[in-house]
mmCIF file of all heavy atoms in Angstrom:
data_model
loop_
_atom_site.group_PDB
_atom_site.id
_atom_site.type_symbol
_atom_site.label_atom_id
_atom_site.label_comp_id
_atom_site.label_asym_id
_atom_site.label_seq_id
_atom_site.Cartn_x
_atom_site.Cartn_y
_atom_site.Cartn_z
ATOM 1 N N ILE A 550 82.239 130.325 74.567
ATOM 2 C CA ILE A 550 82.359 131.549 73.756
ATOM 3 C C ILE A 550 82.503 131.171 72.289
ATOM 4 O O ILE A 550 81.845 131.764 71.413
ATOM 5 C CB ILE A 550 83.554 132.405 74.212
ATOM 6 C CG1 ILE A 550 83.299 132.973 75.605
ATOM 7 C CG2 ILE A 550 83.883 133.503 73.206
ATOM 8 C CD1 ILE A 550 82.108 133.944 75.675
ATOM 9 N N HIS A 551 83.364 130.203 71.994
ATOM 10 C CA HIS A 551 83.558 129.813 70.583
ATOM 11 C C HIS A 551 82.227 129.321 70.004
ATOM 12 O O HIS A 551 81.896 129.654 68.848
ATOM 13 C CB HIS A 551 84.632 128.738 70.470
ATOM 14 C CG HIS A 551 85.924 129.141 71.090
ATOM 15 N ND1 HIS A 551 86.786 128.244 71.680
ATOM 16 C CD2 HIS A 551 86.530 130.351 71.234
ATOM 17 C CE1 HIS A 551 87.839 128.867 72.151
ATOM 18 N NE2 HIS A 551 87.706 130.167 71.878
ATOM 19 N N ASP A 552 81.465 128.555 70.759
ATOM 20 C CA ASP A 552 80.167 128.064 70.292
ATOM 21 C C ASP A 552 79.197 129.224 70.072
ATOM 22 O O ASP A 552 78.495 129.271 69.062
ATOM 23 C CB ASP A 552 79.566 127.056 71.278
ATOM 24 C CG ASP A 552 80.359 125.766 71.361
ATOM 25 O OD1 ASP A 552 81.173 125.488 70.441
ATOM 26 O OD2 ASP A 552 80.179 125.035 72.355
ATOM 27 N N TRP A 553 79.147 130.153 71.027
ATOM 28 C CA TRP A 553 78.243 131.316 70.906
ATOM 29 C C TRP A 553 78.632 132.116 69.670
ATOM 30 O O TRP A 553 77.755 132.504 68.888
ATOM 31 C CB TRP A 553 78.328 132.198 72.158
ATOM 32 C CG TRP A 553 77.282 133.259 72.193
ATOM 33 C CD1 TRP A 553 76.052 133.175 72.782
ATOM 34 C CD2 TRP A 553 77.338 134.578 71.591
ATOM 35 N NE1 TRP A 553 75.362 134.357 72.590
ATOM 36 C CE2 TRP A 553 76.132 135.225 71.864
ATOM 37 C CE3 TRP A 553 78.317 135.257 70.847
ATOM 38 C CZ2 TRP A 553 75.852 136.520 71.433
ATOM 39 C CZ3 TRP A 553 78.038 136.544 70.410
ATOM 40 C CH2 TRP A 553 76.817 137.175 70.697
ATOM 41 N N ASN A 554 79.923 132.344 69.483
ATOM 42 C CA ASN A 554 80.376 133.104 68.314
ATOM 43 C C ASN A 554 79.934 132.437 67.006
ATOM 44 O O ASN A 554 79.467 133.123 66.091
ATOM 45 C CB ASN A 554 81.901 133.218 68.328
ATOM 46 C CG ASN A 554 82.403 134.162 69.413
ATOM 47 O OD1 ASN A 554 81.616 134.849 70.070
ATOM 48 N ND2 ASN A 554 83.706 134.162 69.635
ATOM 49 N N ARG A 555 80.106 131.133 66.903
ATOM 50 C CA ARG A 555 79.731 130.440 65.662
ATOM 51 C C ARG A 555 78.230 130.552 65.384
ATOM 52 O O ARG A 555 77.828 130.609 64.224
ATOM 53 C CB ARG A 555 80.119 128.969 65.735
ATOM 54 C CG ARG A 555 81.606 128.788 65.590
ATOM 55 C CD ARG A 555 82.010 127.421 65.110
ATOM 56 N NE ARG A 555 83.466 127.295 65.142
ATOM 57 C CZ ARG A 555 84.260 127.767 64.208
ATOM 58 N NH1 ARG A 555 83.771 128.376 63.162
ATOM 59 N NH2 ARG A 555 85.578 127.626 64.297
ATOM 60 N N LYS A 556 77.448 130.623 66.420
ATOM 61 C CA LYS A 556 75.977 130.710 66.247
ATOM 62 C C LYS A 556 75.497 132.133 65.982
ATOM 63 O O LYS A 556 74.469 132.320 65.343
ATOM 64 C CB LYS A 556 75.257 130.182 67.497
ATOM 65 C CG LYS A 556 75.398 128.699 67.674
ATOM 66 C CD LYS A 556 74.758 128.251 68.972
ATOM 67 C CE LYS A 556 75.043 126.773 69.217
ATOM 68 N NZ LYS A 556 74.777 126.384 70.614
ATOM 69 N N HIS A 557 76.226 133.126 66.480
ATOM 70 C CA HIS A 557 75.695 134.494 66.472
ATOM 71 C C HIS A 557 76.495 135.528 65.660
ATOM 72 O O HIS A 557 75.962 136.586 65.363
ATOM 73 C CB HIS A 557 75.571 135.002 67.899
ATOM 74 C CG HIS A 557 74.597 134.227 68.714
ATOM 75 N ND1 HIS A 557 74.982 133.203 69.559
ATOM 76 C CD2 HIS A 557 73.258 134.312 68.808
ATOM 77 C CE1 HIS A 557 73.913 132.704 70.136
ATOM 78 N NE2 HIS A 557 72.857 133.338 69.692
ATOM 79 N N LEU A 558 77.741 135.242 65.342
ATOM 80 C CA LEU A 558 78.536 136.249 64.650
ATOM 81 C C LEU A 558 78.533 135.988 63.139
ATOM 82 O O LEU A 558 78.776 134.861 62.719
ATOM 83 C CB LEU A 558 79.968 136.265 65.181
ATOM 84 C CG LEU A 558 80.134 136.626 66.651
ATOM 85 C CD1 LEU A 558 81.598 136.608 67.051
ATOM 86 C CD2 LEU A 558 79.506 137.964 66.967
ATOM 87 N N PRO A 559 78.284 137.021 62.348
ATOM 88 C CA PRO A 559 78.216 136.831 60.912
ATOM 89 C C PRO A 559 79.581 136.454 60.310
ATOM 90 O O PRO A 559 80.582 137.028 60.686
ATOM 91 C CB PRO A 559 77.736 138.174 60.381
ATOM 92 C CG PRO A 559 78.057 139.175 61.454
ATOM 93 C CD PRO A 559 78.052 138.397 62.765
ATOM 94 N N ALA A 560 79.546 135.471 59.435
ATOM 95 C CA ALA A 560 80.768 135.017 58.723
ATOM 96 C C ALA A 560 81.938 134.866 59.692
ATOM 97 O O ALA A 560 83.044 135.317 59.432
ATOM 98 C CB ALA A 560 81.106 135.974 57.583
ATOM 99 N N TYR A 561 81.682 134.210 60.801
ATOM 100 C CA TYR A 561 82.682 134.023 61.859
ATOM 101 C C TYR A 561 83.833 133.164 61.363
ATOM 102 O O TYR A 561 83.627 132.103 60.795
ATOM 103 C CB TYR A 561 82.018 133.361 63.064
ATOM 104 C CG TYR A 561 82.934 133.067 64.218
ATOM 105 C CD1 TYR A 561 83.468 134.089 64.976
ATOM 106 C CD2 TYR A 561 83.234 131.764 64.575
ATOM 107 C CE1 TYR A 561 84.308 133.841 66.055
ATOM 108 C CE2 TYR A 561 84.057 131.493 65.649
ATOM 109 C CZ TYR A 561 84.588 132.525 66.388
ATOM 110 O OH TYR A 561 85.390 132.264 67.466
ATOM 111 N N PHE A 562 85.049 133.642 61.621
ATOM 112 C CA PHE A 562 86.274 132.921 61.224
ATOM 113 C C PHE A 562 87.212 132.938 62.423
ATOM 114 O O PHE A 562 87.650 133.984 62.869
ATOM 115 C CB PHE A 562 86.909 133.603 60.011
ATOM 116 C CG PHE A 562 88.081 132.862 59.455
ATOM 117 C CD1 PHE A 562 87.898 131.762 58.642
ATOM 118 C CD2 PHE A 562 89.383 133.246 59.763
ATOM 119 C CE1 PHE A 562 88.991 131.059 58.127
ATOM 120 C CE2 PHE A 562 90.475 132.567 59.260
ATOM 121 C CZ PHE A 562 90.270 131.457 58.437
ATOM 122 N N GLU A 563 87.525 131.747 62.921
ATOM 123 C CA GLU A 563 88.295 131.622 64.150
ATOM 124 C C GLU A 563 89.737 131.202 63.853
ATOM 125 O O GLU A 563 89.965 130.195 63.185
ATOM 126 C CB GLU A 563 87.628 130.576 65.036
ATOM 127 C CG GLU A 563 88.193 130.434 66.423
ATOM 128 C CD GLU A 563 87.345 129.452 67.199
ATOM 129 O OE1 GLU A 563 86.332 129.882 67.809
ATOM 130 O OE2 GLU A 563 87.670 128.239 67.194
ATOM 131 N N VAL A 564 90.677 131.994 64.369
ATOM 132 C CA VAL A 564 92.109 131.736 64.202
ATOM 133 C C VAL A 564 92.697 131.443 65.595
ATOM 134 O O VAL A 564 92.569 132.279 66.493
ATOM 135 C CB VAL A 564 92.844 132.930 63.576
ATOM 136 C CG1 VAL A 564 94.333 132.618 63.441
ATOM 137 C CG2 VAL A 564 92.222 133.284 62.230
ATOM 138 N N PHE A 565 93.331 130.297 65.727
ATOM 139 C CA PHE A 565 93.974 129.949 66.987
ATOM 140 C C PHE A 565 95.483 130.103 66.786
ATOM 141 O O PHE A 565 96.078 129.436 65.943
ATOM 142 C CB PHE A 565 93.636 128.515 67.394
ATOM 143 C CG PHE A 565 94.321 128.044 68.642
ATOM 144 C CD1 PHE A 565 94.456 128.861 69.760
ATOM 145 C CD2 PHE A 565 94.819 126.759 68.703
ATOM 146 C CE1 PHE A 565 95.075 128.409 70.914
ATOM 147 C CE2 PHE A 565 95.454 126.289 69.852
ATOM 148 C CZ PHE A 565 95.591 127.125 70.957
ATOM 149 N N VAL A 566 96.080 131.004 67.548
ATOM 150 C CA VAL A 566 97.517 131.243 67.471
ATOM 151 C C VAL A 566 98.168 130.452 68.605
ATOM 152 O O VAL A 566 97.954 130.742 69.777
ATOM 153 C CB VAL A 566 97.862 132.755 67.599
ATOM 154 C CG1 VAL A 566 99.360 132.965 67.473
ATOM 155 C CG2 VAL A 566 97.118 133.560 66.555
ATOM 156 N N LYS A 567 98.942 129.437 68.205
ATOM 157 C CA LYS A 567 99.605 128.568 69.161
ATOM 158 C C LYS A 567 101.069 128.945 69.314
ATOM 159 O O LYS A 567 101.715 129.331 68.345
ATOM 160 C CB LYS A 567 99.562 127.101 68.670
ATOM 161 C CG LYS A 567 98.228 126.455 68.790
ATOM 162 C CD LYS A 567 98.261 125.060 68.221
ATOM 163 C CE LYS A 567 99.128 124.135 69.028
ATOM 164 N NZ LYS A 567 99.039 122.716 68.610
ATOM 165 N N ALA A 568 101.544 128.821 70.538
ATOM 166 C CA ALA A 568 102.962 129.008 70.805
ATOM 167 C C ALA A 568 103.319 128.128 72.019
ATOM 168 O O ALA A 568 102.503 127.965 72.920
ATOM 169 C CB ALA A 568 103.289 130.468 71.095
ATOM 170 N N GLU A 569 104.508 127.600 71.996
ATOM 171 C CA GLU A 569 104.983 126.769 73.090
ATOM 172 C C GLU A 569 105.174 127.631 74.342
ATOM 173 O O GLU A 569 105.461 128.840 74.244
ATOM 174 C CB GLU A 569 106.312 126.103 72.724
ATOM 175 C CG GLU A 569 106.221 125.186 71.526
ATOM 176 C CD GLU A 569 105.311 123.992 71.741
ATOM 177 O OE1 GLU A 569 105.257 123.487 72.876
ATOM 178 O OE2 GLU A 569 104.648 123.582 70.781
ATOM 179 N N MET A 570 105.051 127.040 75.511
ATOM 180 C CA MET A 570 105.181 127.782 76.764
ATOM 181 C C MET A 570 106.549 128.471 76.880
ATOM 182 O O MET A 570 106.632 129.598 77.349
ATOM 183 C CB MET A 570 104.934 126.866 77.967
ATOM 184 C CG MET A 570 104.897 127.597 79.296
ATOM 185 S SD MET A 570 103.740 128.990 79.383
ATOM 186 C CE MET A 570 102.187 128.141 79.558
ATOM 187 N N ASP A 571 107.611 127.813 76.416
ATOM 188 C CA ASP A 571 108.921 128.465 76.453
ATOM 189 C C ASP A 571 108.929 129.762 75.640
ATOM 190 O O ASP A 571 109.533 130.744 76.060
ATOM 191 C CB ASP A 571 110.009 127.527 75.901
ATOM 192 C CG ASP A 571 110.281 126.329 76.826
ATOM 193 O OD1 ASP A 571 109.857 126.383 77.983
ATOM 194 O OD2 ASP A 571 110.900 125.366 76.363
ATOM 195 N N THR A 572 108.253 129.748 74.507
ATOM 196 C CA THR A 572 108.150 130.945 73.682
ATOM 197 C C THR A 572 107.346 132.022 74.383
ATOM 198 O O THR A 572 107.713 133.199 74.390
ATOM 199 C CB THR A 572 107.511 130.601 72.323
ATOM 200 O OG1 THR A 572 108.285 129.605 71.666
ATOM 201 C CG2 THR A 572 107.387 131.829 71.433
ATOM 202 N N LEU A 573 106.234 131.623 74.972
ATOM 203 C CA LEU A 573 105.373 132.578 75.691
ATOM 204 C C LEU A 573 106.122 133.241 76.836
ATOM 205 O O LEU A 573 106.029 134.463 77.016
ATOM 206 C CB LEU A 573 104.109 131.873 76.205
ATOM 207 C CG LEU A 573 103.205 131.233 75.157
ATOM 208 C CD1 LEU A 573 102.077 130.455 75.845
ATOM 209 C CD2 LEU A 573 102.652 132.274 74.199
ATOM 210 N N VAL A 574 106.836 132.447 77.580
ATOM 211 C CA VAL A 574 107.603 132.967 78.710
ATOM 212 C C VAL A 574 108.705 133.907 78.209
ATOM 213 O O VAL A 574 108.922 134.988 78.795
ATOM 214 C CB VAL A 574 108.207 131.834 79.574
ATOM 215 C CG1 VAL A 574 109.168 132.370 80.601
ATOM 216 C CG2 VAL A 574 107.064 131.056 80.261
ATOM 217 N N ALA A 575 109.356 133.563 77.113
ATOM 218 C CA ALA A 575 110.401 134.424 76.566
ATOM 219 C C ALA A 575 109.840 135.749 76.078
ATOM 220 O O ALA A 575 110.521 136.777 76.166
ATOM 221 C CB ALA A 575 111.108 133.716 75.415
ATOM 222 N N ARG A 576 108.611 135.748 75.593
ATOM 223 C CA ARG A 576 107.971 136.984 75.084
ATOM 224 C C ARG A 576 107.260 137.766 76.177
ATOM 225 O O ARG A 576 106.724 138.830 75.909
ATOM 226 C CB ARG A 576 106.919 136.638 74.033
ATOM 227 C CG ARG A 576 107.441 136.105 72.764
ATOM 228 C CD ARG A 576 106.277 135.838 71.823
ATOM 229 N NE ARG A 576 106.723 135.226 70.591
ATOM 230 C CZ ARG A 576 105.969 134.463 69.829
ATOM 231 N NH1 ARG A 576 104.709 134.239 70.165
ATOM 232 N NH2 ARG A 576 106.455 133.945 68.743
ATOM 233 N N ASP A 577 107.193 137.288 77.348
ATOM 234 C CA ASP A 577 106.363 137.753 78.462
ATOM 235 C C ASP A 577 106.481 139.265 78.720
ATOM 236 O O ASP A 577 106.984 139.665 79.764
ATOM 237 C CB ASP A 577 106.741 136.942 79.693
ATOM 238 C CG ASP A 577 105.758 137.026 80.823
ATOM 239 O OD1 ASP A 577 104.634 137.554 80.618
ATOM 240 O OD2 ASP A 577 106.110 136.591 81.928
ATOM 241 N N THR A 578 106.007 140.084 77.808
ATOM 242 C CA THR A 578 106.126 141.543 77.922
ATOM 243 C C THR A 578 105.363 142.095 79.119
ATOM 244 O O THR A 578 105.739 143.135 79.651
ATOM 245 C CB THR A 578 105.637 142.235 76.648
ATOM 246 O OG1 THR A 578 104.281 141.882 76.420
ATOM 247 C CG2 THR A 578 106.479 141.861 75.445
ATOM 248 N N LYS A 579 104.304 141.418 79.541
ATOM 249 C CA LYS A 579 103.505 141.900 80.675
ATOM 250 C C LYS A 579 104.015 141.333 82.000
ATOM 251 O O LYS A 579 103.543 141.732 83.059
ATOM 252 C CB LYS A 579 102.042 141.474 80.497
ATOM 253 C CG LYS A 579 101.391 142.076 79.278
ATOM 254 C CD LYS A 579 99.975 141.541 79.121
ATOM 255 C CE LYS A 579 99.376 141.957 77.806
ATOM 256 N NZ LYS A 579 98.061 141.341 77.612
ATOM 257 N N GLY A 580 104.926 140.374 81.941
ATOM 258 C CA GLY A 580 105.450 139.770 83.161
ATOM 259 C C GLY A 580 104.495 138.793 83.823
ATOM 260 O O GLY A 580 104.692 138.413 84.966
ATOM 261 N N LEU A 581 103.453 138.391 83.117
ATOM 262 C CA LEU A 581 102.428 137.534 83.710
ATOM 263 C C LEU A 581 102.929 136.159 84.098
ATOM 264 O O LEU A 581 102.639 135.664 85.202
ATOM 265 C CB LEU A 581 101.261 137.375 82.731
ATOM 266 C CG LEU A 581 100.442 138.610 82.430
ATOM 267 C CD1 LEU A 581 99.420 138.330 81.332
ATOM 268 C CD2 LEU A 581 99.753 139.090 83.684
#
């Protein structure tokens, strides 16, 4: 998907939001 986006989306700018697993679990609003 990232490769397709770079080739096909105009002025594509990709932001990766990282968080540690402990943080993700603490925020787990969906209970996933």
